[in-house]
């Protein structure tokens, strides 16, 4: 029974990965479509005739259809990975697939400024990542700055949001 359940889990993970690949392709297409719609929008005035607006509307409709396809692919992929975990509780590839999808959604939520979604997807990444996104979740990073002229003094300022405003909290001279 254990081998059968493992084989079923493997099949579901393969399905989840296939659909996750389609999801990633759709996301790339969606970004291109949004950029195209924005470009067209910049050349069309609100008072212009329907014929001039038709390409914009078509681009917006195409992006909307792709957005719906993205969500369908996301849910199908997530479902396959969860079904794999139902067959084999700690299936590493299923957990990794869920972590990757959640990470992708987390990045999108951050880019769009959707704080509640960011917290939700961060929690999902924490649930499934098994160390895979440890560095990214810590939020630490490094920066290299080259100055012209070399050796210029650099002042770093840390800002935190307080009362819907960013306030300076720490300032220091970089070494």
């Amino acid at each position: 029974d254990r081998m059968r359940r493992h084989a079923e889990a493997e099949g579901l993970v393969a399905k989840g990965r296939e659909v996750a690949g389609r999801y990633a392709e759709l996301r790339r297409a969606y970004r291109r479509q949004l950029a195209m719609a924005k470009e067209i929008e910049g050349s069309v005035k609100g008072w212009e005739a329907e014929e001039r607006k038709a390409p914009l509307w078509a681009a917006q409709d195409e992006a909307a259809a792709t957005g719906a396809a993205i969500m369908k692919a996301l849910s199908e992929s997530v479902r396959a990975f969860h079904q794999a975990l139902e067959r084999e509780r700690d299936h590493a590839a299923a957990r990794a697939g869920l972590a990757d999808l959640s990470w992708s959604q987390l990045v999108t939520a951050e880019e769009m400024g959707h704080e509640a979604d960011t917290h939700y997807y961060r929690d999902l990444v924490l649930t499934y990542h098994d160390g895979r996104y440890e560095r990214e979740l810590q939020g630490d990073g490094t920066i290299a700055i080259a100055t012209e002229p070399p050796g210029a003094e650099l002042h770093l300022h840390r800002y935190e949001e307080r009362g819907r405003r960013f306030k300076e909290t720490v300032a220091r001279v970089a070494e």
Side-chain angles (χ1 to χ4, degrees), residues 2 11 19-21 30 48-49 53 60 62 69 75 77 79 103 139 147 167-168 171:
R2 185 171 164 244
V19 179
Y30 182 69
E48 292 189 272
K53 294 178 183 176
Q60 290 171 333
E62 182 180 25
S75 66
S77 184
R79 185 179 320 108
W103 179 259
T147 62
K167 303 281 185 173
E168 183 177 339

Side-chain angles (χ1 to χ4, degrees), residues 8-119:
E8 288 175 0
E10 288 290 316
L12 288 162
V13 165
K15 178 183 177 184
R17 285 179 175 159
E18 176 187 330
V19 179
R22 188 168 70 238
Y23 162 80
E25 290 170 18
L26 287 165
R27 283 176 54 97
R28 287 188 292 273
Y30 182 69
R31 287 199 166 127
R32 286 190 306 271
Q33 291 165 354
L34 286 180
M36 177 63 76
K38 190 171 183 82
E39 184 179 321
I40 295 169
E41 186 176 33
S43 68
V44 176
K45 306 294 183 228
W47 48 263
E48 292 189 272
E50 288 182 21
E51 298 80 36
R52 280 277 293 135
K53 294 178 183 176
L56 171 61
W57 294 339
Q60 290 171 333
D61 290 347
E62 182 180 25
T66 301
I70 288 169
M71 296 314 291
K72 185 177 185 325
L74 175 64
S75 66
E76 190 177 330
S77 184
V78 166
R79 185 179 320 108
F81 289 132
H82 276 290
Q83 288 172 341
L85 289 174
E86 289 170 5
R87 301 315 189 273
E88 189 173 311
R89 183 175 177 198
D90 292 322
H91 196 285
R95 292 178 60 81
L98 288 167
D100 291 344
L101 290 170
S102 299
W103 179 259
S104 175
Q105 290 298 106
L106 168 63
V107 169
T108 298
E110 283 182 334
E111 288 172 354
M112 298 182 75
H114 296 164
E115 193 172 333
D117 289 349
T118 299
H119 291 297

